């Protein structure tokens, strides 16, 4: 019997209620009144429901989380209509919209919440072998179109197309006959597993295994030790590590007892986290977190409230949840006067929807430290009246409570910023301030005037024309001063917005807590004209860079140029997938994804001149690919994959090379091509592996990618587990490579 992903789930009352089915209301708006019958199927893999026109279903494997109560924009907008104890939200992976449901009773809602949590936890606890078995099980079910528990050769041929492979029919038929032990002309589930293993046999792995096997059948712990030392460059711990790997990955108890590893165990090791290109030591919290804040790259979001474009897109608290889950530590909140004295958040002077400021802060309070315990910075763009600024300040204090940093940590004016370690669990407000920290204890006025030179004013200057804006937003943009209330000003401690005049002025007059913001175009101009001065400035103070206001589609600029000169807060539109977010995710994938990455020493010393060390020469042998996803859902459409390796870093290190493409094979393409690079400053470099579907006539289609800091790469034979355009896992899709890094003489 094929492995079933939920076969190990113990009998559960909640799951039984879900299987019996429930009439749930799908909440979309106050006006929508749709009721549907939702039912968990017996296989626990799908939730079926009937709409007005057809039967539909959701895969439980696609559900990332279940939220209880009013934790979505829809529920927040109709909070008075649905009691929170009857409400829950299913959150799907990728960019699929959430599903907001209302049960008939609190007890029924709890059953669905607990049941979904059980299914999610079961999936998360599955090992790599179980995940692969689940994938094979899904293939069998797809092939078995008439659901009789067996598949014909005709169904197998169709399956091969679904699996992204155009195999010679004679060869496929031969494998089918070999797997058909019962000689019935059909494959049962166990026979299909045998067929799949023959189909996906990794010739390149078998050859590598036999090269180090003393008897051609197994790897003794000495054989494995030699492989780890010679190929994986793990000489310091190879003997002890070899025994650990056998115990961890060898499926045979007999082999374990004999301290040997079979080909199955060897393949399991190579596809595991231990065999990943990303050094697991660098995925833990390994960096010094006691340096001043200015010495870190800080994962930062722009227009965090937007899920779409910044002209007509939807504003949502979901933007804050998703950014925080990705390790973002600096969130942007654009605040404007709302009706009934309630400040709202939206992209001003546009048609984007509005959400309540208090809902944003409630969301931040709940999710701020679920992914990382290090400080969260709220970059507040304040366009509110004095009256509503007071409301904002009170909401920040009431909702965030002790999490909100309201005084310096030692009660003194800082000569240097505190560290992420000292600010653990704290939320900082970044914004305008009347005076400086030196005047905290003085008799400040109730309100004061501050410069209007900040992100928003510059964004408006290079953004939209007044003719394209809503009629109520055609206001003067020439204001040079804005009234700021003392209540809000006092909440700005270590992150004061300060207009940038020039580097000399900042060096003489700048305070440690001053933060200057630059549009991408202004930052690029400075980098072109005075990169060394910019780097030295960023060794003294924090700089934030944000996308141009002309990017109405919420696209992003390449952040690497800004990181190269030490800009700490390079704010990107997290809602927009692509190369730029791949680089951001890649940089912050290290150091336990805590949202803070210690800058290289050369960018932390304001007096030191940049002088790159000897270059490193990585040789990257792109060997093969495994189970690459289809890019076209048509049965007969099969990818022609090729791999592009891209280096991002200092200009001298930027490079791109490609393999040739393989025709009609997304299942197990083999390239065996070696690409050579030279990297002069590895501590600033990122390496991106991209797989695309070659097309002679049109633009190549994206298949998957993986981006990793160059300094976190493990040498040797490694697997690269590909990610989708949205940054979600594409397992079991992977690349198999051999990395050899040498230092230039």
């Amino acid at each position: 019997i094929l492995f079933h992903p939920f076969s190990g789930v113990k009998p559960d009352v909640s799951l039984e209620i879900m299987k019996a089915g429930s009439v749930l209301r799908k909440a979309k708006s106050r006006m929508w009144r749709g009721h549907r019958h939702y039912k968990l199927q017996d296989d626990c893999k799908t939730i079926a429901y009937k709409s007005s026109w057809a039967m539909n279903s959701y895969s439980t494997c696609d559900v990332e989380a279940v939220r209880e109560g009013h934790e979505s924009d829809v529920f927040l907008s109709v909070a008075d209509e649905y009691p929170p104890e009857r409400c829950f939200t299913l959150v799907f992976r990728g960019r699929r919209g959430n599903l907001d449901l209302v049960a008939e009773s609190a007890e029924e809602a709890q059953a669905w919440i607990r049941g979904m949590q059980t299914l999610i936890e079961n999936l998360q606890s599955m090992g790599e072998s179980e995940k692969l078995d689940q994938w094979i099980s899904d293939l069998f079910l797809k092939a078995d179109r008439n659901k009789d528990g067996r598949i014909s050769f005709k169904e197998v041929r169709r399956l091969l197309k679904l699996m992204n492979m155009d195999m010679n029919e004679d060869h496929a038929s031969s494998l089918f006959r070999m797997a058909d032990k019962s000689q019935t002309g059909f494959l049962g589930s166990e026979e299909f597993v045998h067929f799949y293993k023959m189909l996906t046999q990794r010739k390149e792995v078998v050859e590598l295994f036999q090269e180090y096997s003393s008897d051609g059948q197994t790897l003794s712990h000495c054989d494995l030790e030699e492989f780890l030392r010679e190929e994986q460059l793990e000489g310091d711990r190879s003997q002890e590590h070899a025994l650990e790997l056998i115990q961890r990955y060898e499926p045979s108890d007999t082999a374990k007892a004999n301290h040997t590893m079979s080909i199955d165990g060897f393949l399991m090791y190579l596809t595991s986290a231990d065999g990943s290109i990303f050094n697991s030591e660098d995925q833990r919290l390994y960096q010094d977190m006691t340096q001043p804040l200015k010495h870190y790259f800080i994962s930062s979001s722009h227009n965090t409230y937007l899920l779409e474009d910044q002209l007509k897109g939807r504003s949502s608290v979901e933007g804050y949840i998703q950014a925080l889950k990705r390790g973002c530590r600096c969130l942007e909140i654009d605040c404007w006067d709302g009706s009934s004295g309630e400040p709202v958040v939206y992209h001003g002077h546009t048609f984007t929807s509005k959400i309540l400021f208090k809902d944003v802060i409630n969301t931040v309070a709940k999710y701020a430290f679920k992914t990382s315990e290090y400080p969260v910075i709220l970059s507040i763009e304040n366009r509110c009246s004095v009256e509503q600024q007071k409301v904002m300040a009170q909401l920040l204090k009431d909702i965030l409570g002790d999490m909100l940093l309201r005084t310096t940590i030692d009660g003194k004016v800082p000569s240097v910023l505190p560290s992420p370690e000292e600010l653990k669990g704290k939320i900082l407000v970044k914004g305008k301030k009347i005076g400086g920290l030196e005047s905290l204890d003085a008799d400040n006025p109730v309100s004061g005037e501050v410069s209007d030179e900040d992100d928003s004013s510059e964004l408006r200057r290079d953004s939209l024309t007044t003719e394209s804006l809503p009629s109520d937003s055609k206001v003067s943009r020439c204001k040079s001063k804005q009234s700021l209330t003392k209540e809000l000003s006092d909440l700005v401690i270590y992150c004061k917005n300060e207009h940038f005049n020039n580097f000399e002025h900042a060096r003489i007059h700048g305070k440690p807590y001053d933060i200057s913001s630059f549009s991408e175009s202004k930052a690029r101009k400075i980098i072109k004209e005075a990169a060394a001065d910019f780097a030295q400035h960023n060794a003294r103070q924090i700089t934030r860079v944000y996308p141009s206001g002309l990017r109405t589609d919420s696209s992003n600029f390449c952040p690497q140029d800004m990181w190269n000169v030490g800009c700490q807060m390079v704010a990107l539109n997290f809602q927009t997938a692509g190369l730029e977010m791949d680089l951001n995710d890649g940089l912050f994938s290290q150091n336990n994804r805590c949202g803070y990455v210690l800058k290289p020493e050369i960018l932390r010393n304001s007096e030191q001149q940049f002088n790159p060390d000897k270059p490193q020469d990585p040789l990257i042998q792109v060997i093969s690919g495994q189970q690459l996803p289809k890019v076209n859902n048509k049965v007969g459409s099969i990818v022609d994959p090729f791999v592009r390796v891209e280096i991002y870093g200092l200009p001298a290190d930027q490079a791109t090379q490609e393999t040739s493409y393989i025709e009609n094979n997304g299942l197990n393409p083999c390239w065996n091509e070696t690409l050579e690079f030279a990297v002069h400053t590895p501590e600033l470099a990122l390496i991106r592996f991209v797989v695309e579907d070659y097309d002679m006539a049109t633009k190549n289609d994206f298949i998957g990618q993986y981006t990793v800091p160059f300094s976190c790469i493990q040498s040797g034979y490694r697997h690269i587990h590909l990610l989708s355009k949205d940054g979600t896992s594409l397992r079991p899709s992977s690349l198999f490579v051999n990395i050899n890094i040498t230092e230039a003489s």
Side-chain angles (χ1 to χ4, degrees):
I1 297 173
L2 281 176
F3 169 81
H4 193 287
F6 302 105
S7 58
V9 177
K10 296 178 181 178
D12 185 283
V13 174
S14 298
L15 292 179
E16 293 306 313
I17 292 174
M18 292 173 67
K19 287 179 181 179
S22 302
V23 175
L24 305 173
R25 174 180 290 182
K26 181 180 178 181
K28 291 178 69 175
S29 69
R30 191 179 294 275
M31 301 298 294
W32 207 81
R33 294 281 191 269
H35 287 79
R36 291 172 176 172
H37 187 265
Y38 291 84
K39 183 178 185 296
L40 177 67
Q41 301 300 287
D42 289 339
D43 62 4
C44 291
K45 292 175 67 173
T46 53
I47 296 172
Y49 68 93
K50 186 175 183 179
S51 67
S52 57
W53 61 89
M55 283 295 298
N56 294 286
S57 65
Y58 297 103
S59 170
T60 55
C61 298
D62 291 337
V63 180
E64 182 180 335
V66 56
R67 298 183 191 145
E68 187 172 355
H70 293 164
E71 285 201 40
S72 72
D73 299 311
V74 170
F75 282 139
L76 289 171
S77 68
V78 293
D80 58 332
E81 187 166 344
Y82 303 123
E85 62 272 13
R86 289 169 47 201
C87 301
F88 63 97
T89 301
L90 300 185
V91 182
F92 293 92
R93 303 180 197 281
R95 296 186 179 276
R96 183 176 182 175
N98 296 342
L99 179 61
D100 298 305
L101 296 170
V102 183
E104 293 294 322
S105 67
E107 293 74 21
E108 194 168 39
Q110 278 300 309
W112 278 81
I113 292 166
R114 287 194 300 266
M116 284 307 308
Q117 288 172 340
T118 298
L119 297 177
I120 292 167
E121 288 165 7
N122 191 70
L123 279 169
Q124 291 173 341
S125 64
M126 284 166 53
E128 292 304 313
S129 178
E130 292 173 313
K131 288 177 182 176
L132 180 59
D133 286 344
Q134 179 199 336
W135 196 74
I136 299 173
S137 173
D138 289 342
L139 286 177
F140 182 80
L141 293 172
K142 282 181 181 178
D144 184 15
R145 300 186 74 182
N146 62 359
K147 307 304 176 189
D148 63 353
R150 59 183 190 165
I151 55 178
S152 66
F153 182 63
K154 183 179 179 181
E155 288 173 317
V156 163
R157 286 174 59 194
R158 183 177 182 277
L159 175 66
L160 291 177
K161 299 284 187 181
L162 289 173
M163 292 171 70
N164 222 352
M165 187 177 188
D166 186 14
M167 180 180 283
N168 176 280
E169 186 166 335
D170 290 339
H171 182 53
S173 177
S174 174
L175 292 181
F176 184 92
R177 288 194 301 272
M178 291 170 63
D180 183 15
K181 303 293 186 183
S182 60
Q183 296 185 345
T184 60
F186 294 89
L187 299 183
S189 59
E190 291 184 4
E191 290 171 327
F192 175 72
V193 171
H194 183 55
F195 171 79
Y196 175 84
K197 286 187 175 181
M198 289 191 293
L199 184 69
T200 57
Q201 187 176 47
R202 301 280 300 277
K203 182 181 176 182
E204 72 278 21
V205 174
V206 172
E207 289 175 352
L208 183 61
F209 177 85
Q210 291 178 341
E211 182 181 342
Y212 281 90
S213 172
S214 299
D215 60 8
Q217 301 297 316
T218 62
L219 292 177
S220 68
H221 78 274
C222 292
D223 293 338
L224 184 56
E225 179 186 343
E226 182 183 3
F227 172 77
L228 295 174
R229 183 176 61 251
E230 297 296 325
E231 301 290 357
Q232 310 296 73
L233 303 184
E234 297 178 8
D236 294 343
R237 57 182 186 130
S238 57
Q239 181 176 8
E240 178 185 344
H241 193 38
L243 293 172
E244 288 176 359
L245 294 178
I246 289 171
Q247 292 302 310
R248 194 175 302 157
Y249 298 112
E250 175 52 48
S252 166
D253 291 336
T254 302
K256 280 183 184 177
N258 293 328
H259 295 165
T260 60
M261 180 176 274
S262 67
I263 181 65
D264 288 342
F266 187 60
L267 183 57
M268 262 190 204
Y269 151 64
L270 287 176
T271 55
S272 72
D274 286 297
S276 168
I277 191 174
F278 204 127
N279 190 333
S280 59
E281 291 297 304
D282 296 332
Q283 289 182 311
R284 62 184 179 84
L285 189 71
Y286 72 98
Q287 294 182 342
D288 178 8
M289 301 302 289
T290 63
Q291 299 284 323
L293 278 181
K294 63 180 180 177
H295 287 337
Y296 295 85
F297 294 124
I298 303 170
S299 181
S300 304
S301 172
H302 177 248
N303 290 347
T304 316
Y305 47 89
L306 286 179
L307 296 183
E308 301 159 28
D309 68 82
Q310 60 188 46
L311 183 59
K312 299 179 181 179
R314 184 162 64 95
S315 302
S316 171
V317 295
E318 189 66 32
Y320 292 92
I321 296 172
Q322 294 303 324
L324 288 166
K325 282 172 62 178
R326 289 175 84 162
C328 184
R329 298 288 88 187
C330 181
L331 311 169
E332 186 175 42
I333 309 177
D334 286 0
C335 306
W336 299 78
D337 279 358
S339 59
S340 305
E342 283 266 26
V344 294
V345 175
Y346 82 113
H347 199 254
H349 306 307
T350 67
F351 297 98
T352 59
S353 62
K354 301 174 182 178
I355 52 178
L356 294 176
F357 178 78
K358 70 177 179 184
D359 289 341
V360 171
I361 303 306
N362 272 310
T363 300
V364 171
K366 180 156 190 177
Y367 290 92
F369 303 111
K370 287 196 172 184
T371 297
S372 169
E373 58 188 345
Y374 289 101
V376 169
I377 299 166
L378 303 182
S379 182
I380 294 188
E381 292 301 324
N382 170 24
R383 297 291 154 194
C384 290
S385 62
V386 168
E387 292 74 22
Q388 293 206 18
Q389 287 179 44
K390 292 179 180 178
V391 176
M392 287 169 57
Q394 197 59 50
L395 286 170
L396 285 164
K397 289 184 279 191
D398 291 346
I399 296 171
L400 299 180
D402 291 341
M403 289 187 287
L404 180 65
L405 187 76
R406 298 172 65 173
T407 62
T408 56
I409 55 176
D410 57 4
K412 299 176 182 177
V413 176
S415 58
V416 66
L417 285 174
S419 68
E421 191 68 28
E422 291 174 298
L423 293 170
K424 261 186 185 177
K426 290 296 182 184
I427 296 174
L428 285 64
V429 173
K430 170 187 170 295
K432 304 182 183 78
K433 187 172 184 65
I434 305 166
L437 290 179
E438 293 79 3
S439 59
L440 271 180
D441 297 325
D443 293 329
N444 286 335
V446 172
S447 65
E449 286 189 337
V450 292
S451 169
D452 197 27
E453 292 286 346
D454 69 348
D455 303 17
S456 295
S457 57
E458 188 166 348
L459 277 171
R460 287 195 303 278
R461 280 197 297 272
D462 68 359
S463 184
L464 309 168
T465 63
T466 55
E467 286 73 19
S468 67
L469 299 173
S471 58
D472 62 352
S473 66
K474 295 176 184 177
V475 295
S476 170
R477 300 181 188 173
C478 301
K479 276 181 39 179
S480 60
K481 296 290 181 180
Q482 181 200 16
S483 293
L484 177 66
T485 175
K486 179 180 184 297
E487 289 87 343
L488 196 55
S489 171
D490 284 352
L491 298 182
V492 177
I493 306 300
Y494 292 123
C495 303
K496 178 191 176 187
N497 286 355
E498 188 64 35
H499 175 65
F500 176 80
N501 292 297
N502 56 61
F503 290 126
E504 182 67 11
H505 182 274
R507 186 181 64 81
I508 296 171
H509 301 288
K511 301 289 193 291
Y513 50 82
D514 288 345
I515 297 179
S516 297
S517 290
F518 301 87
S519 69
E520 58 174 288
S521 54
K522 186 173 181 179
R524 278 205 194 93
K525 186 173 186 293
I526 295 174
I527 291 170
K528 185 177 180 180
E529 297 173 353
D533 291 337
F534 205 177
Q536 290 181 24
H537 171 82
N538 291 329
R540 294 189 297 267
Q541 291 179 212
I542 290 178
T543 290
R544 180 175 181 269
V545 183
Y546 55 90
S548 163
L550 296 174
R551 294 183 180 273
T552 55
D553 59 351
S554 291
S555 58
N556 284 309
F557 60 92
C558 183
Q560 188 67 50
D561 299 337
M562 317 307 171
W563 292 331
N564 286 343
V565 293
C567 296
Q568 296 87 346
M569 296 179 179
V570 182
L572 299 179
N573 291 301
F574 272 46
Q575 75 272 27
T576 306
L579 162 66
E580 299 80 13
M581 277 306 300
D582 292 345
L583 295 178
N584 194 78
D585 288 342
L587 175 66
F588 291 102
S589 61
Q590 61 186 310
N591 206 32
N592 201 33
R593 297 183 180 272
C594 74
Y596 287 84
V597 169
L598 188 63
K599 296 198 292 186
E601 185 178 359
I602 192 69
L603 292 176
R604 305 200 304 264
N605 189 334
S606 61
E607 305 302 324
Q608 190 173 348
Q609 291 297 313
F610 201 85
N611 184 24
D613 295 329
K614 290 182 180 179
Q616 293 184 358
D617 296 336
L619 288 174
I620 301 173
Q621 182 189 11
V622 181
I623 302 172
S624 62
Q626 295 76 43
Q627 286 98 34
L628 302 178
K630 292 168 71 73
V631 296
N632 189 320
N633 288 327
K634 293 180 180 177
V635 173
S637 173
I638 298 172
V639 298
D640 304 324
F642 71 95
V643 179
R644 184 170 62 251
V645 179
E646 304 167 344
I647 305 287
Y648 294 87
L650 290 181
D653 293 336
Q654 306 268 13
T656 297
Q657 291 191 49
E658 295 178 354
T659 69
S660 57
Y661 65 91
I662 306 293
E663 288 189 1
N664 291 329
N665 190 348
L667 182 67
N668 52 6
C670 282
W671 293 278
N672 277 320
E673 296 183 34
T674 300
L675 311 177
E676 186 173 357
F677 299 88
V679 179
H680 298 78
T681 313
E683 59 267 43
L684 273 172
L686 293 165
I687 182 166
R688 182 173 183 250
F689 296 84
V690 190
V691 187
E692 290 185 352
D693 178 21
Y694 175 79
D695 195 310
M696 184 181 298
T698 61
K699 183 181 178 182
N700 298 326
D701 289 316
F702 174 89
I703 294 176
Q705 70 83 33
Y706 189 80
T707 307
V708 58
F710 187 87
S711 58
C712 298
I713 289 175
Q714 292 196 106
S715 294
Y717 288 92
R718 305 292 174 184
H719 275 87
I720 298 169
H721 297 286
L722 296 174
L723 303 175
S724 71
K725 190 173 288 187
D726 294 325
T728 55
S729 173
L730 287 175
R731 286 182 183 269
S733 301
S734 64
L735 296 177
F736 186 44
V737 300
N738 185 16
I739 309 286
N740 183 15
I741 301 175
T742 59
E743 188 170 296
S745 57

